[in-house]
Amino acid sequence: MTNARPMVAIIMGSKTDWETMRHASEALRAFRIHHECRVLSAHRTPSQLSEFIQEMEQGGCEVFIAGAGGAAHLPGVVASQTLRPVLGVPIDSSSLQGLDALLSIVQMPAGVPVGTLAVGKSGATNAGLMAVAILATSRPDLRDKLRKYREQRAAKILRETLT
Amino acid sequence: MTNARPMVAIIMGSKTDWETMRHASEALRAFRIHHECRVLSAHRTPSQLSEFIQEMEQGGCEVFIAGAGGAAHLPGVVASQTLRPVLGVPIDSSSLQGLDALLSIVQMPAGVPVGTLAVGKSGATNAGLMAVAILATSRPDLRDKLRKYREQRAAKILRETLT
Amino acid sequence: MTNARPMVAIIMGSKTDWETMRHASEALRAFRIHHECRVLSAHRTPSQLSEFIQEMEQGGCEVFIAGAGGAAHLPGVVASQTLRPVLGVPIDSSSLQGLDALLSIVQMPAGVPVGTLAVGKSGATNAGLMAVAILATSRPDLRDKLRKYREQRAAKILRETLT
Amino acid sequence: MTNARPMVAIIMGSKTDWETMRHASEALRAFRIHHECRVLSAHRTPSQLSEFIQEMEQGGCEVFIAGAGGAAHLPGVVASQTLRPVLGVPIDSSSLQGLDALLSIVQMPAGVPVGTLAVGKSGATNAGLMAVAILATSRPDLRDKLRKYREQRAAKILRETLT
Amino acid sequence: MTNARPMVAIIMGSKTDWETMRHASEALRAFRIHHECRVLSAHRTPSQLSEFIQEMEQGGCEVFIAGAGGAAHLPGVVASQTLRPVLGVPIDSSSLQGLDALLSIVQMPAGVPVGTLAVGKSGATNAGLMAVAILATSRPDLRDKLRKYREQRAAKILRETLT
Amino acid sequence: MTNARPMVAIIMGSKTDWETMRHASEALRAFRIHHECRVLSAHRTPSQLSEFIQEMEQGGCEVFIAGAGGAAHLPGVVASQTLRPVLGVPIDSSSLQGLDALLSIVQMPAGVPVGTLAVGKSGATNAGLMAVAILATSRPDLRDKLRKYREQRAAKILRETLT
Amino acid sequence: MTNARPMVAIIMGSKTDWETMRHASEALRAFRIHHECRVLSAHRTPSQLSEFIQEMEQGGCEVFIAGAGGAAHLPGVVASQTLRPVLGVPIDSSSLQGLDALLSIVQMPAGVPVGTLAVGKSGATNAGLMAVAILATSRPDLRDKLRKYREQRAAKILRETLT
Amino acid sequence: MTNARPMVAIIMGSKTDWETMRHASEALRAFRIHHECRVLSAHRTPSQLSEFIQEMEQGGCEVFIAGAGGAAHLPGVVASQTLRPVLGVPIDSSSLQGLDALLSIVQMPAGVPVGTLAVGKSGATNAGLMAVAILATSRPDLRDKLRKYREQRAAKILRETLT
């Protein structure tokens, strides 16, 4: 999926976050959006993180998605290094159930926004879908696909029966 | 500011939310982004809300910003009615200091994303800036303005002296 | 149970919520109250939700019960579309243990009340019982049944022995 | 307002709670619902509380509203002594901002439901409105008044302009 | 253990609380304090609760221990019906991890104190030990036993080795 | 008030805690209980604290009350140095509204109980009243005074009128 | 104070944090520790932050203190760029009372420690004192000063009288 | 590891805390820092704790690490008895997920600092690494080892591939 130029980059602070973040990747795949996934830490590999952000930007990447747990600085640090929209996914990886990650990501100071999604898998899926919505602002065909996606999910709910 | 077609819509659940949400408007003004601000409630004026969303979409609005306090359903309800990216601003209007608004906005189920910003003024400013960043994905000149904006804010910090 | 006209409607945002919400249904069954259960989402199937609410009202439904998890907008959205009393059941379906659902349901703005019960199974059972109590305000025979129900539960507690 | 038989009783644990609970009374007055307001404590005047509940029930009272702060036992204790629907209003009267009152009221065990509203004034107003909605299940004229009330509030929101 | 007159009463709101509350009983047994354990609910068996409290008082019971989960009213309701010292044990029986029980027990209004212990087993053990300490204020021999108990626990810690 | 031998000791970690803790002293005064109040810190004056505890015990003090804010170790440290019952009062002195003090006091490990009261003034008053209840277990005349005290407070509530 | 080589650096994310962080500076001054204070943002002036850290290290700075509010990334970002011990001070600057700052600072992942102090002024003072304690590990004279400092504070507590 | 004089002491309140605290020990071992681990309770073995602290100080110990759960007083009590830097590790051992331990450790009053690390294993590892950083302020060779340690961890992250 990396021979085409990626339009979205997904970054996570630890390999164990992939269990959550793959849901963002799956959402993008459902829309055939080329994207790149990488494990990079704001604290432990800061220079490689900066290089990756620059490389992605130069390749035309339009949206960054970053997921992290605990004192989750990754999305904010990404946002401080790019002008592209950055989406953050709090991951429940400490005893505090993701509340620490949520507050560390969403409470960014004025000037450096991170659009934050829900804690965990739903948030990762939604980060992927929001990236699609952002790309769709200048791509009407993507918006059509989004409409169909929502209709299919609605249809699935309506088919459900309780036993 | 409404004779041109608005690119961003700012919706809030109550007039008292304007004290917070005007910071989103000011951020957009700093970039000369035409936008429309409106008080509409997800619960009390649902049909007018739907009409406004449709009208905005047809006029070419690309990003929705919604702010609300308490059981803050407005951003999620807007997101359920548009395919454009929706940004949510939790407002601290109950005794629970905005924690209720934050969780009501950010914890959206998979399928209907709301990119959530910080509680209060910083969040409102950042919603405006994130809308600019989204618009800038297909408008290189806006990205240049964003870069200058950040540089000015950085310069302001560097000029500050402690006494 | 649907050939008679339902007096109570139970709505939930996802099929997985049935594990919790069936306790509301069981409470109603214990009083032989005809009711209808349905999976409908405030965000993903809003028009079908509106239709169902209207249909129920026209059929004489007197109380709505709605259960949801996360940013639980369903009870509030139902309450914004009916004048009948609406009872909300927060469901523990995210990493935040139902606190997000509780605050999203209970902190409704003035004008659109949702009578909120406890998080989870106890809350679902109590939503059923409170619906019975509401119906009983104009049906003395139901109140007699409620009295017996409470007496039986009290008797059960008094029979319990510790080992 | 007490020469007619009260249809709703409003009970609060302390005189200082009146500042909040009078909003429930005002909502009832807007619908010309006869009601009785009383300061009675679950812990400090338990026998007078029981007498008042009995007296109200015998007089035809159909809904109880109870507001309290801190370890707010009043609504649950009222609910344990009546079969009528009981609505609870958490009051922000301790340093913990009403979270203690909210959890003490809403987390009732299965068998004794309390329909809980928001912390503070909005919750008190909504307790009044929900009592009206419950009374309206057997009084179509009240439902018409409720509809007009909502329409007026919606109209008020739509008249609001931002400056 | 009931042929002698019980000096302490242990009350719990549900049989499932015994798993926690038996630690209070075990602490009392270690000091050979006669005590009575009973399942009684503040909401579902209020009159039997009152009778039990009176009966215990007349039999010379000097301390009450009450444990409950969720909206844990039992300790406060016991405290409102006796002048003897009442100790409360919050039980973790809801999705909110005992925070609801803790706040429902500890945040009692001025006038009706409940001495609250930790959530769960440690709290139950400590309720037993605190009852012993209270009884020991007028029984020097009990204080000697308490001293030995503490010394034994200290010795046990000092014997522990890490591997 | 110190020429007689004090039966209760009130200790607080800082002079600013007196604003809260004087309510414990006032409750004891209402019952003419001789008591001693002292500012002593578990962390900053540990040896003077130990001396004071010993001195009080030798003088016949039967109950210790300790109040502190933030990481409130004082009540637990007192409890580790005496076998008398220790009551703890959490004080709201940090930005976290007394939640830190509450958890630091109530969550004591098995073996060293602290009977914890509500955060702030109500808790301080109740600590005083609970000390009276403990002293009253072996002093019937005190129990009579307690009964009158409660009756007076109940009467005061019943006299209150709403305007 | 900057003509000598600073041994401690105090960094804060915004000029408004100085109101809190000056307490760290005052603690260092009381021990005549040369230190440098600077406003630098992890997100808005990242390159100047890196330069300052490097410059300080080369000048012999041994301890870094960083204070920030909201999604407080500054201490962690400093810690990722130096091997010297880093102390973090959470600042109460949002509606969430510093809980966001506390969790953003303390919950750092394994590998990049930040020694976190209390929220607000006490934490800032203690960051200064802990820096002194760290410097004192290789400077016995500083340890003597620390001992005297503690003795003076203890003496001050012991002089306090209650009125 | 105890025949050499220990430079760091690790103290924990209960043997069950070793599961967490051994990560601090392992971090120190990776740097070949001689250290001593001991189970000692602030409340149950206070005199042995004081003796151990004194003995360690006299043996040249430069840093103390203390871990505890619940009302975690151990780190603060250690800090009140030594002038060496004290690092605290909150342990998740109650139903409240370590929030109680975190607040009990970090919210220390001005004058007695405890440098607090994350809840659980990450925090224990980081306490060990921060102790190394403190020792390294006067030992350049240790700083070199720290640099290599971080490089190895960074390299490990960079080798990780997602599947």
Side-chain angles (χ1 to χ4, degrees):
Chain A
M1 195 161 271
T2 58
N3 44 358
R5 286 154 61 117
M7 296 165 75
V8 178
I10 299 178
I11 313 174
M12 64 214 80
S14 143
K15 194 181 172 180
T16 57
D17 297 338
W18 178 239
E19 184 58 29
T20 300
M21 296 309 292
R22 68 184 175 78
H23 294 272
S25 177
E26 284 168 16
L28 291 171
R29 266 188 219 176
F31 290 87
R32 298 186 166 275
I33 307 287
H34 288 283
H35 62 283
E36 185 82 26
C37 301
R38 200 68 68 86
V39 177
L40 284 165
S41 163
H43 302 118
R44 289 172 286 190
T45 62
S47 58
Q48 289 87 348
L49 175 63
S50 297
E51 283 166 27
F52 178 68
I53 293 170
Q54 276 200 320
E55 184 193 319
M56 283 291 109
E57 281 194 346
Q58 286 161 5
C61 169
E62 292 184 26
V63 182
F64 285 86
I65 295 173
H73 299 188
L74 186 63
V77 168
V78 172
S80 73
Q81 298 187 23
T82 183
L83 297 166
R84 268 72 175 183
V86 176
L87 305 176
V89 180
I91 294 179
D92 172 18
S93 64
S94 76
S95 70
L96 297 176
Q97 305 165 302
L99 184 66
D100 45 3
L102 171 56
L103 297 180
S104 300
I105 293 175
V106 80
Q107 289 291 81
M108 287 291 289
V112 190
V114 172
T116 307
L117 290 308
V119 179
K121 294 183 182 180
S122 304
T125 296
N126 277 347
L129 294 176
M130 184 140 185
V132 175
I134 290 171
L135 294 173
T137 55
S138 56
R139 293 172 182 82
D141 58 314
L142 254 186
R143 192 138 61 216
D144 290 342
K145 282 192 191 170
L146 256 184
R147 185 171 293 112
K148 277 178 201 150
Y149 178 89
R150 284 213 183 172
E151 286 165 2
Q152 284 167 3
R153 288 181 77 100
K156 195 181 155 217
I157 288 175
L158 296 174
R159 277 195 308 272
E160 291 187 332
T161 52
L162 302 172
T163 51
Chain B
M1 194 160 270
T2 58
N3 46 356
R5 284 155 63 116
M7 297 164 73
V8 178
I10 298 178
I11 313 174
M12 64 213 82
S14 144
K15 194 181 173 181
T16 58
D17 297 338
W18 178 239
E19 183 58 28
T20 301
M21 296 310 292
R22 67 184 175 78
H23 294 272
S25 176
E26 284 168 16
L28 291 170
R29 268 188 217 176
F31 289 87
R32 297 185 165 276
I33 307 287
H34 288 283
H35 61 283
E36 185 81 26
C37 301
R38 200 67 69 87
V39 178
L40 285 165
S41 163
H43 301 118
R44 288 171 289 190
T45 62
S47 59
Q48 289 87 348
L49 176 63
S50 298
E51 283 166 28
F52 178 68
I53 293 170
Q54 276 200 319
E55 181 193 321
M56 282 290 110
E57 281 194 347
Q58 286 162 6
C61 169
E62 292 183 26
V63 182
F64 285 86
I65 295 173
H73 298 189
L74 185 64
V77 168
V78 172
S80 74
Q81 298 187 24
T82 183
L83 297 165
R84 266 73 174 184
V86 177
L87 304 176
V89 181
I91 293 179
D92 172 19
S93 64
S94 76
S95 71
L96 297 176
Q97 305 165 303
L99 184 67
D100 45 4
L102 171 56
L103 297 180
S104 300
I105 294 175
V106 80
Q107 288 291 82
M108 287 292 288
V112 190
V114 173
T116 308
L117 290 307
V119 179
K121 294 183 183 180
S122 305
T125 296
N126 276 347
L129 293 176
M130 185 140 184
V132 175
I134 290 171
L135 295 172
T137 56
S138 57
R139 292 171 183 84
D141 56 315
L142 253 186
R143 193 139 60 216
D144 291 342
K145 282 192 193 169
L146 256 184
R147 185 171 294 111
K148 277 178 202 150
Y149 178 88
R150 284 211 184 174
E151 286 165 3
Q152 285 166 2
R153 287 181 78 99
K156 194 180 155 218
I157 289 174
L158 296 174
R159 277 195 306 273
E160 291 186 331
T161 52
L162 304 172
T163 51
Chain C
M1 197 161 269
T2 58
N3 46 355
R5 285 156 61 119
M7 296 165 73
V8 179
I10 299 178
I11 313 174
M12 64 214 82
S14 145
K15 194 180 173 180
T16 56
D17 297 338
W18 178 239
E19 183 58 29
T20 300
M21 296 309 292
R22 67 183 175 79
H23 294 273
S25 176
E26 284 168 17
L28 291 170
R29 267 188 219 176
F31 290 87
R32 300 186 164 274
I33 306 286
H34 288 283
H35 61 284
E36 185 82 26
C37 301
R38 199 69 67 87
V39 177
L40 284 165
S41 164
H43 302 117
R44 289 172 289 191
T45 62
S47 58
Q48 289 86 349
L49 176 62
S50 298
E51 283 165 28
F52 177 68
I53 293 169
Q54 277 200 319
E55 183 193 319
M56 283 291 109
E57 281 195 347
Q58 286 161 6
C61 169
E62 292 184 27
V63 183
F64 287 86
I65 295 173
H73 299 187
L74 185 63
V77 168
V78 172
S80 73
Q81 298 186 23
T82 183
L83 297 166
R84 267 72 175 185
V86 177
L87 305 176
V89 181
I91 294 179
D92 172 19
S93 64
S94 76
S95 70
L96 297 176
Q97 305 165 302
L99 184 67
D100 44 5
L102 171 56
L103 297 180
S104 301
I105 294 174
V106 80
Q107 289 291 82
M108 287 292 288
V112 190
V114 173
T116 307
L117 289 307
V119 179
K121 294 182 183 180
S122 304
T125 296
N126 277 347
L129 294 176
M130 184 139 184
V132 175
I134 290 170
L135 295 172
T137 55
S138 56
R139 292 171 182 84
D141 57 315
L142 255 185
R143 192 138 61 218
D144 291 342
K145 282 192 191 171
L146 257 185
R147 185 171 294 112
K148 276 178 201 152
Y149 178 88
R150 285 213 183 173
E151 286 165 3
Q152 284 166 2
R153 288 181 76 100
K156 195 180 154 220
I157 288 175
L158 297 174
R159 277 195 307 271
E160 291 186 331
T161 52
L162 303 172
T163 52
Chain D
M1 196 160 270
T2 58
N3 46 355
R5 285 155 62 120
M7 296 164 73
V8 179
I10 299 178
I11 313 174
M12 64 213 81
S14 143
K15 194 180 172 181
T16 57
D17 296 339
W18 177 239
E19 182 59 29
T20 300
M21 296 310 291
R22 68 184 174 80
H23 295 271
S25 176
E26 284 168 17
L28 291 170
R29 268 188 217 176
F31 290 87
R32 298 186 165 276
I33 308 286
H34 288 283
H35 61 283
E36 184 82 26
C37 301
R38 199 69 68 87
V39 178
L40 285 166
S41 163
H43 302 117
R44 289 172 287 191
T45 61
S47 59
Q48 288 87 349
L49 175 63
S50 297
E51 283 166 27
F52 178 69
I53 293 169
Q54 277 200 319
E55 182 193 320
M56 283 291 110
E57 283 195 346
Q58 286 161 4
C61 169
E62 292 184 27
V63 183
F64 286 86
I65 296 173
H73 298 187
L74 184 64
V77 168
V78 172
S80 73
Q81 298 187 23
T82 182
L83 297 165
R84 267 73 174 183
V86 176
L87 304 176
V89 180
I91 294 179
D92 173 19
S93 64
S94 77
S95 70
L96 297 176
Q97 305 165 302
L99 184 66
D100 45 4
L102 171 56
L103 297 180
S104 300
I105 293 174
V106 81
Q107 290 290 84
M108 287 292 287
V112 190
V114 173
T116 307
L117 290 307
V119 178
K121 294 183 183 180
S122 304
T125 296
N126 277 347
L129 293 175
M130 185 139 184
V132 175
I134 290 170
L135 295 173
T137 55
S138 56
R139 293 171 181 84
D141 57 315
L142 254 186
R143 192 138 61 216
D144 291 341
K145 282 192 192 171
L146 255 184
R147 186 171 294 112
K148 277 178 202 152
Y149 178 88
R150 283 213 183 174
E151 285 165 3
Q152 285 165 1
R153 288 181 76 100
K156 193 180 155 219
I157 289 175
L158 297 174
R159 277 194 308 271
E160 290 186 331
T161 53
L162 303 173
T163 51
Chain E
M1 194 161 273
T2 56
N3 45 355
R5 285 155 62 119
M7 297 165 73
V8 179
I10 299 179
I11 313 174
M12 64 214 82
S14 143
K15 194 182 173 181
T16 57
D17 297 338
W18 178 239
E19 183 58 29
T20 300
M21 296 309 292
R22 67 183 175 80
H23 295 272
S25 176
E26 284 168 18
L28 292 170
R29 268 188 218 176
F31 289 87
R32 299 187 165 274
I33 306 287
H34 288 283
H35 61 284
E36 185 83 25
C37 302
R38 198 69 70 86
V39 178
L40 283 166
S41 163
H43 302 118
R44 289 172 288 190
T45 61
S47 59
Q48 290 85 349
L49 176 63
S50 298
E51 283 167 27
F52 177 68
I53 292 169
Q54 278 200 318
E55 182 192 320
M56 283 292 110
E57 282 194 347
Q58 286 161 5
C61 170
E62 292 184 27
V63 183
F64 286 86
I65 295 174
H73 299 188
L74 185 62
V77 169
V78 172
S80 73
Q81 298 187 23
T82 182
L83 298 166
R84 266 72 175 184
V86 177
L87 304 176
V89 180
I91 293 179
D92 172 20
S93 64
S94 77
S95 71
L96 298 176
Q97 306 164 301
L99 184 66
D100 45 5
L102 171 56
L103 297 180
S104 301
I105 294 174
V106 80
Q107 289 291 83
M108 288 292 288
V112 190
V114 173
T116 307
L117 289 307
V119 179
K121 294 183 183 180
S122 305
T125 297
N126 277 346
L129 294 176
M130 185 139 183
V132 175
I134 290 170
L135 294 172
T137 55
S138 56
R139 292 170 183 84
D141 57 315
L142 255 185
R143 193 138 60 215
D144 291 341
K145 282 192 191 170
L146 256 185
R147 185 171 293 112
K148 277 178 201 151
Y149 178 87
R150 285 212 183 174
E151 285 165 3
Q152 284 167 3
R153 287 182 78 100
K156 195 180 155 218
I157 289 175
L158 297 173
R159 277 195 307 272
E160 291 186 333
T161 52
L162 303 172
T163 52
Chain F
M1 195 162 270
T2 56
N3 45 356
R5 286 156 61 120
M7 296 164 75
V8 179
I10 299 178
I11 313 174
M12 64 213 81
S14 144
K15 194 181 173 181
T16 57
D17 298 338
W18 177 239
E19 182 58 29
T20 301
M21 297 308 292
R22 67 184 175 80
H23 295 272
S25 176
E26 285 168 16
L28 292 170
R29 268 190 217 175
F31 290 86
R32 299 186 165 276
I33 307 286
H34 288 283
H35 61 284
E36 184 83 25
C37 301
R38 198 69 69 88
V39 178
L40 284 166
S41 163
H43 301 117
R44 289 173 286 191
T45 61
S47 58
Q48 289 86 349
L49 176 63
S50 298
E51 283 166 28
F52 178 68
I53 293 169
Q54 277 200 318
E55 182 193 319
M56 283 291 109
E57 283 193 347
Q58 285 160 6
C61 169
E62 291 184 27
V63 183
F64 286 86
I65 295 173
H73 299 188
L74 185 63
V77 168
V78 172
S80 74
Q81 298 186 24
T82 183
L83 297 166
R84 266 73 173 185
V86 176
L87 304 176
V89 180
I91 294 179
D92 173 18
S93 63
S94 78
S95 70
L96 298 175
Q97 305 165 300
L99 184 67
D100 45 4
L102 171 57
L103 297 180
S104 300
I105 293 174
V106 81
Q107 289 291 83
M108 287 293 287
V112 189
V114 172
T116 307
L117 290 307
V119 179
K121 294 184 183 179
S122 304
T125 296
N126 277 346
L129 293 175
M130 184 139 185
V132 175
I134 291 171
L135 295 172
T137 55
S138 56
R139 292 172 183 83
D141 57 316
L142 255 185
R143 192 137 62 216
D144 291 342
K145 282 192 192 171
L146 256 184
R147 184 171 294 112
K148 277 178 201 151
Y149 178 89
R150 285 213 182 173
E151 286 166 2
Q152 283 166 2
R153 287 182 77 100
K156 194 181 156 218
I157 288 175
L158 296 174
R159 276 195 307 271
E160 291 187 331
T161 53
L162 302 172
T163 52
Chain G
M1 196 160 271
T2 58
N3 46 355
R5 287 155 61 119
M7 296 165 74
V8 179
I10 299 178
I11 313 175
M12 63 213 82
S14 143
K15 194 180 172 181
T16 56
D17 297 338
W18 178 238
E19 182 59 28
T20 301
M21 296 309 293
R22 67 184 175 79
H23 295 272
S25 175
E26 283 168 17
L28 291 171
R29 266 189 218 177
F31 290 86
R32 299 186 165 274
I33 307 286
H34 288 282
H35 61 283
E36 185 82 27
C37 301
R38 199 68 67 86
V39 177
L40 284 165
S41 163
H43 302 117
R44 289 172 287 190
T45 61
S47 59
Q48 289 86 349
L49 175 64
S50 298
E51 282 166 29
F52 178 67
I53 294 170
Q54 276 200 319
E55 182 192 319
M56 283 291 109
E57 282 194 347
Q58 285 162 5
C61 169
E62 292 184 26
V63 183
F64 286 86
I65 295 173
H73 298 188
L74 185 63
V77 169
V78 171
S80 74
Q81 298 187 23
T82 183
L83 298 165
R84 266 72 174 184
V86 176
L87 304 176
V89 180
I91 293 179
D92 172 19
S93 64
S94 76
S95 70
L96 297 175
Q97 306 164 301
L99 184 67
D100 45 4
L102 171 57
L103 297 181
S104 300
I105 293 174
V106 80
Q107 288 291 81
M108 287 292 288
V112 190
V114 172
T116 307
L117 290 306
V119 179
K121 293 183 183 180
S122 304
T125 296
N126 276 348
L129 294 176
M130 184 139 184
V132 174
I134 290 171
L135 295 172
T137 56
S138 57
R139 292 172 183 83
D141 58 314
L142 256 185
R143 193 138 61 217
D144 291 342
K145 282 192 190 170
L146 256 184
R147 185 171 294 111
K148 276 176 202 153
Y149 178 89
R150 286 212 182 173
E151 287 165 3
Q152 284 166 3
R153 287 182 78 99
K156 195 181 155 219
I157 289 175
L158 296 174
R159 277 196 305 273
E160 292 186 331
T161 52
L162 303 172
T163 51
Chain H
M1 195 161 271
T2 57
N3 44 356
R5 285 154 63 119
M7 297 165 74
V8 179
I10 299 178
I11 313 175
M12 63 214 82
S14 143
K15 194 180 173 181
T16 58
D17 297 338
W18 178 238
E19 183 59 28
T20 300
M21 296 310 292
R22 68 184 175 79
H23 295 272
S25 176
E26 284 168 16
L28 291 170
R29 268 188 217 175
F31 290 87
R32 297 185 166 276
I33 307 286
H34 287 282
H35 61 283
E36 185 83 24
C37 301
R38 198 69 68 87
V39 177
L40 285 165
S41 163
H43 302 116
R44 289 171 287 189
T45 62
S47 58
Q48 289 86 348
L49 176 63
S50 298
E51 282 166 28
F52 178 67
I53 293 169
Q54 277 200 319
E55 183 193 319
M56 283 291 109
E57 281 194 347
Q58 285 161 6
C61 170
E62 292 184 26
V63 183
F64 286 86
I65 295 173
H73 298 189
L74 185 64
V77 168
V78 172
S80 74
Q81 298 187 23
T82 183
L83 297 166
R84 267 72 174 183
V86 176
L87 304 175
V89 180
I91 293 178
D92 173 20
S93 64
S94 77
S95 71
L96 298 176
Q97 306 164 301
L99 184 66
D100 46 3
L102 171 56
L103 297 181
S104 301
I105 294 175
V106 80
Q107 289 290 83
M108 287 291 288
V112 191
V114 172
T116 307
L117 290 307
V119 178
K121 293 184 183 181
S122 304
T125 297
N126 277 347
L129 293 176
M130 185 139 184
V132 175
I134 291 170
L135 294 173
T137 55
S138 56
R139 292 173 183 82
D141 57 314
L142 254 185
R143 193 137 62 216
D144 291 341
K145 282 191 191 171
L146 255 184
R147 185 171 294 112
K148 277 178 202 151
Y149 178 88
R150 284 213 183 171
E151 286 165 4
Q152 284 167 2
R153 288 181 77 99
K156 196 182 155 216
I157 289 175
L158 296 173
R159 277 196 307 273
E160 291 186 332
T161 53
L162 303 172
T163 52

